[in-house]
Amino acid sequence: MRDVVIIGIGQTPVGEHWEKSLRHLAHDAIMAAMGDAGIETADALYVGNMLSGQLAGQEHLGALIADFIGLRGIEAMKVEAACTSGAAALRVGLMAVASGMQDVVLVCGVEKMTDALSDEVTSGLATAADQEYEVSQGISFVGLNALLMRRYMYEYGVTKEQFAPFTVNAHRNGVNNPYAMFRSPVSESAYARAGMIADPINLLDSSPVCDGAACVVLAPASKYRAKAKAQILASAVATDSLAVHDRRDPMTMDAVMLSSQKAYAEARLTPADIHLFEVHDAFSIMAALSLEAAGFAPRGRAVDMARAGEIAIGGRLPVATMGGLKARGHPVGATGVYQIIEVVQQLTGQAGKNQVVGATIGMAQNIGGSGATVITHILGTV
Amino acid sequence: MRDVVIIGIGQTPVGEHWEKSLRHLAHDAIMAAMGDAGIETADALYVGNMLSGQLAGQEHLGALIADFIGLRGIEAMKVEAACTSGAAALRVGLMAVASGMQDVVLVCGVEKMTDALSDEVTSGLATAADQEYEVSQGISFVGLNALLMRRYMYEYGVTKEQFAPFTVNAHRNGVNNPYAMFRSPVSESAYARAGMIADPINLLDSSPVCDGAACVVLAPASKYRAKAKAQILASAVATDSLAVHDRRDPMTMDAVMLSSQKAYAEARLTPADIHLFEVHDAFSIMAALSLEAAGFAPRGRAVDMARAGEIAIGGRLPVATMGGLKARGHPVGATGVYQIIEVVQQLTGQAGKNQVVGATIGMAQNIGGSGATVITHILGTV
């Protein structure tokens, strides 16, 4: 098995791209990544996307995008695992290079959500949950997360206001990220006043519906050490039941725990060794449950960790350092690749005002559904 | 890179499974394959599926099926490349084992098409074509293939009746396959009388809308040689433009040519070394164009090859030996895995009345869209 490095990164701003089709967004991110890597061709393309079939009537994105970027002929396919499609595509790219079956590989996460009607998007996102046992009862994806948040508040005697620091932190970091969708700070009082979506989840607990594309270029360390920006130290996937009611314990994200532990073991690290954590904060409750299951906070205490400032840049474990899903945005199938890019930016000292000083090891965790697929990557400096 | 062998195969009959959901079909195929392999667990599951998000409102099939088969926790994800999703999932499984990242891997292709209305299925299949440049003009997937068939007839001075041997051969072979959807022979006169769908494509030129699931178990040769049924000698993906009007030459399937040549090179073989060929005969014209681009017949002469009986069992190159897409059926995301199973059956002498005597090398080729993604696998006896 070959060691794999990242030799290029590229992204589009996250937002509402009315003037661009999905293939254009992917093109822009891939061209930026290839330019960054200083390459003019590649051996394969793995696309992370969840909703194009449902929202745009377009499947078969692998060949479509390979052709559109001028690389007609190369291996290409799409990988899907709900909101963790981006990290899943990265994992497939990693396997392609690690196995020696391909050398230079493009991994592109892309999603275009804003062209569709909002009820189409809500229905589309719900396909990440169990259609036969959850969605058929009428519950939406936000609704499922609202049940989890309410349970958390009940179990641990936590108030809704205690979740505010996750939002405040993400927006504070988004201000300095030119690719973030929301670049304004949010105060605790603004959080308290935000409109309710699915009680207790309000607008500022939620990541936005948006468009975006992100691309990383992978290559074998043996041949590309001179171009390497970061090395992939660990990659781990774990799953759980889609249906939340089937979980062993809804307050413990088993797949986060399993995926994190596998990743720590593979990288021979512990949670204390991680310098920054790109957390999957699709909703505030997801950030809290993830921090706990990944071993960064005891059960029910992630809110205290956030309140104490430990998740801020300069704190014990900076999270969402470029704005997270909440402020950078969450174009679902692209998010996992955005997270990887942000870790690379930190490890190469390119995070600007949000730089985590001295960061040499970063972790990105992408979550599909309300915890049914969890993919963790740990990257290190080269 | 580790050599990879197939240690188990399992399939459901192809047909209309009104009584079973997609997850049940996948379960049945996977349990059969695990039983065949004599294993009780696995490290990962890669699912090939194209239409579940659109037709069943269910994405996120990796975790869903992993949980449903009792393997909650393992790595799982879906791979999509239109009608070649099954072979794409096989390729990802191959990369997982070849890289050493996983040992025992399940590859399951599954599709459930008959629960949906026929116009939903037509729209779903059209997502394999270019939505912005082809489908938006109103053309269906059958329509695109009809244009190709008419062009072939014009270019080479061939009549529609000359395509009959492909259908006759497939149905003759389907008779003896207990998993085939259609098990009745079809005569040339029945072909000539078949109802027109999209002129010149008639009902008997076309593969059916159907349900089915198929699974193979992969493992490293080094550890599982005793259980090995067949070895994967080559795996190759190539792509072309989705839109047929963008092709270099619509009568030459460039991606078939490129994918086949890569596979021959990897296996150090030539077309003359292939003992049987599971061709992607979604429509008769696809079979003809594939045989030509893969190097088995000169341009415009595949119809003569079929007429001469060379594609029959006992002929120079038996194709569709268990009925092909036309008679076994074409549950789109599952087809690529059915093809692999059928090659394994031939290589292990388990093809019953359809046995190709002395077969030691077989090729399976799965095609997405009207030739935009082509994945070729060559298997050999162990």
Side-chain angles (χ1 to χ4, degrees):
Chain A
M1 182 171 152
R2 307 196 290 183
D3 286 336
V4 178
V5 292
I6 294 171
I7 63 168
I9 57 175
Q11 56 187 317
T12 72
V14 176
E16 301 190 8
H17 290 283
W18 300 100
E19 79 293 3
K20 290 189 179 175
S21 170
L22 184 139
R23 70 186 81 184
H24 296 96
L25 290 174
H27 168 275
D28 292 355
I30 293 170
M31 288 301 121
M34 291 179 71
D36 187 44
I39 57 170
E40 292 185 351
T41 188
D43 300 317
L45 166 68
Y46 304 103
V47 176
N49 173 270
M50 177 184 177
L51 296 169
S52 173
Q54 297 177 69
L55 299 188
Q58 183 69 70
E59 290 288 358
H60 211 171
L61 295 182
L64 182 81
I65 295 171
D67 181 35
F68 195 66
I69 60 172
L71 296 181
R72 184 184 292 190
I74 65 167
E75 168 168 359
M77 58 185 68
K78 180 187 107 168
V79 186
E80 186 274 330
C83 306
T84 186
S85 298
L90 179 72
R91 175 141 173 107
V92 171
L94 175 65
M95 297 193 298
V97 179
S99 67
M101 290 166 75
Q102 299 291 4
D103 263 5
V104 177
V105 158
L106 307 171
V107 175
C108 178
V110 57
E111 204 76 67
K112 186 132 185 37
M113 305 169 76
T114 65
D115 285 345
L117 301 173
S118 65
D119 64 340
E120 293 172 337
V121 175
T122 299
S123 296
L125 291 172
T127 64
D130 191 316
Q131 202 282 326
E132 293 180 9
Y133 293 90
E134 291 179 318
V135 185
S136 60
Q137 308 304 314
I139 196 160
S140 70
F141 202 64
V142 190
L144 284 166
N145 279 277
L147 293 175
L148 287 171
M149 186 165 169
R150 184 161 295 289
R151 185 74 195 175
Y152 188 98
M153 291 161 62
Y154 170 81
E155 289 266 353
Y156 304 126
V158 166
T159 64
K160 169 156 180 51
E161 286 66 35
Q162 287 179 263
F163 287 89
F166 292 110
T167 299
V168 172
N169 176 67
H171 278 263
R172 185 196 304 122
N173 294 342
V175 168
N176 299 317
N177 179 1
Y179 299 98
M181 183 165 183
F182 300 126
R183 302 191 60 195
S184 318
V186 162
S187 65
E188 295 221 11
S189 61
Y191 175 84
R193 291 191 312 270
M196 198 58 77
I197 295 179
D199 194 0
I201 289 182
N202 71 26
L203 192 66
L204 288 173
D205 283 310
S206 312
S207 53
V209 169
C210 51
D211 311 326
C215 176
V216 298
V217 185
L218 305 182
S222 54
K223 297 187 193 173
Y224 287 85
R225 198 165 294 279
K227 284 179 187 268
K229 295 173 184 295
Q231 182 164 347
I232 300 177
L233 302 179
S235 167
V237 187
T239 53
D240 200 343
S241 67
L242 259 64
V244 173
H245 62 251
D246 276 341
R247 303 267 168 88
R248 185 178 63 82
D249 166 14
M251 290 296 99
T252 306
M253 296 187 77
D254 279 349
V256 168
M257 198 156 59
L258 185 56
S259 168
S260 302
Q261 287 170 353
K262 279 169 142 178
Y264 297 141
E266 188 182 341
R268 298 168 194 267
L269 296 170
T270 70
D273 298 318
I274 306 297
H275 296 154
L276 66 120
F277 178 39
E278 291 307 330
V279 68
H280 191 92
D281 57 341
F283 300 100
S284 305
I285 181 65
M286 279 288 114
L289 290 172
S290 297
L291 284 166
E292 295 171 13
F296 296 115
R299 276 176 69 97
R301 306 296 294 275
V303 289
D304 301 336
M305 179 184 173
R307 171 68 62 194
E310 295 181 17
I311 64 170
I313 290 167
R316 175 167 68 91
L317 182 77
V319 310
T321 69
M322 300 304 278
L325 281 62
K326 244 191 274 293
R328 175 240 296 131
H330 181 28
V332 292
T335 291
V337 184
Y338 274 101
Q339 292 179 310
I340 295 294
I341 287 175
E342 289 156 3
V343 173
V344 172
Q345 290 176 315
Q346 290 288 359
L347 298 184
T348 51
Q350 296 183 304
K353 291 184 179 170
N354 291 1
Q355 184 64 47
V356 176
V357 178
T360 59
I361 293 169
M363 180 159 121
Q365 192 168 69
N366 198 192
I367 299 183
S370 41
T373 306
V374 180
I375 307 186
T376 308
H377 284 97
I378 300 178
L379 307 187
T381 47
V382 284
Chain B
M1 182 172 152
R2 305 196 292 184
D3 285 337
V4 179
V5 292
I6 294 171
I7 63 168
I9 56 175
Q11 57 187 318
T12 71
V14 176
E16 300 190 8
H17 290 283
W18 301 100
E19 78 292 3
K20 290 188 177 175
S21 170
L22 183 140
R23 69 186 81 185
H24 295 97
L25 290 173
H27 168 274
D28 292 357
I30 293 170
M31 289 301 121
M34 290 178 72
D36 187 44
I39 57 170
E40 292 185 350
T41 189
D43 300 317
L45 166 68
Y46 303 102
V47 175
N49 173 269
M50 178 185 177
L51 296 169
S52 173
Q54 296 177 70
L55 300 187
Q58 184 69 69
E59 289 289 358
H60 211 172
L61 294 182
L64 182 82
I65 294 171
D67 181 35
F68 194 66
I69 60 173
L71 296 181
R72 185 185 292 191
I74 67 167
E75 169 167 358
M77 58 186 69
K78 182 186 107 170
V79 186
E80 186 273 331
C83 306
T84 186
S85 298
L90 178 72
R91 175 144 174 104
V92 171
L94 174 66
M95 295 193 299
V97 178
S99 66
M101 289 166 76
Q102 298 292 4
D103 262 5
V104 178
V105 158
L106 307 171
V107 175
C108 178
V110 57
E111 204 75 68
K112 187 134 186 33
M113 306 169 75
T114 66
D115 285 346
L117 301 173
S118 65
D119 64 341
E120 292 172 338
V121 175
T122 298
S123 296
L125 291 171
T127 64
D130 191 317
Q131 202 281 327
E132 294 179 8
Y133 292 91
E134 290 178 319
V135 186
S136 59
Q137 309 305 314
I139 197 159
S140 69
F141 202 62
V142 190
L144 283 167
N145 279 277
L147 293 175
L148 287 170
M149 185 166 170
R150 183 161 295 288
R151 185 73 194 176
Y152 188 99
M153 291 161 62
Y154 170 82
E155 290 267 353
Y156 303 125
V158 167
T159 65
K160 168 155 181 52
E161 287 65 34
Q162 287 179 264
F163 287 89
F166 291 111
T167 299
V168 172
N169 175 67
H171 277 262
R172 185 197 303 120
N173 295 342
V175 168
N176 300 316
N177 179 2
Y179 299 98
M181 183 165 184
F182 300 126
R183 301 192 59 195
S184 317
V186 162
S187 65
E188 295 221 11
S189 63
Y191 175 84
R193 289 192 312 271
M196 201 54 79
I197 295 179
D199 194 1
I201 290 183
N202 72 25
L203 192 66
L204 289 173
D205 283 310
S206 311
S207 52
V209 169
C210 52
D211 311 324
C215 177
V216 297
V217 185
L218 304 182
S222 54
K223 297 187 191 174
Y224 288 84
R225 199 165 294 281
K227 284 179 187 268
K229 296 173 184 295
Q231 182 165 347
I232 300 177
L233 302 178
S235 168
V237 187
T239 54
D240 201 343
S241 68
L242 259 63
V244 174
H245 62 251
D246 275 341
R247 302 267 168 88
R248 185 178 63 83
D249 166 14
M251 290 297 99
T252 305
M253 295 185 79
D254 279 348
V256 167
M257 198 157 58
L258 186 57
S259 168
S260 303
Q261 287 171 352
K262 278 170 145 180
Y264 298 140
E266 188 182 340
R268 297 166 194 268
L269 296 170
T270 71
D273 299 316
I274 306 297
H275 296 154
L276 66 122
F277 179 38
E278 292 306 331
V279 69
H280 190 92
D281 58 342
F283 300 99
S284 305
I285 182 66
M286 280 288 114
L289 291 173
S290 298
L291 284 165
E292 295 170 14
F296 296 115
R299 276 176 70 96
R301 306 298 293 275
V303 289
D304 301 335
M305 179 184 174
R307 171 68 61 194
E310 296 181 18
I311 64 170
I313 290 167
R316 175 167 68 90
L317 181 77
V319 311
T321 69
M322 301 304 278
L325 281 61
K326 244 190 272 291
R328 174 241 297 131
H330 181 28
V332 291
T335 290
V337 184
Y338 274 101
Q339 291 178 312
I340 295 294
I341 287 176
E342 290 157 2
V343 174
V344 172
Q345 288 176 316
Q346 291 287 0
L347 298 184
T348 52
Q350 296 183 304
K353 292 183 179 170
N354 291 1
Q355 184 63 47
V356 176
V357 177
T360 58
I361 292 169
M363 179 159 122
Q365 192 167 71
N366 198 193
I367 299 183
S370 41
T373 306
V374 180
I375 307 186
T376 307
H377 284 97
I378 300 178
L379 308 186
T381 47
V382 285

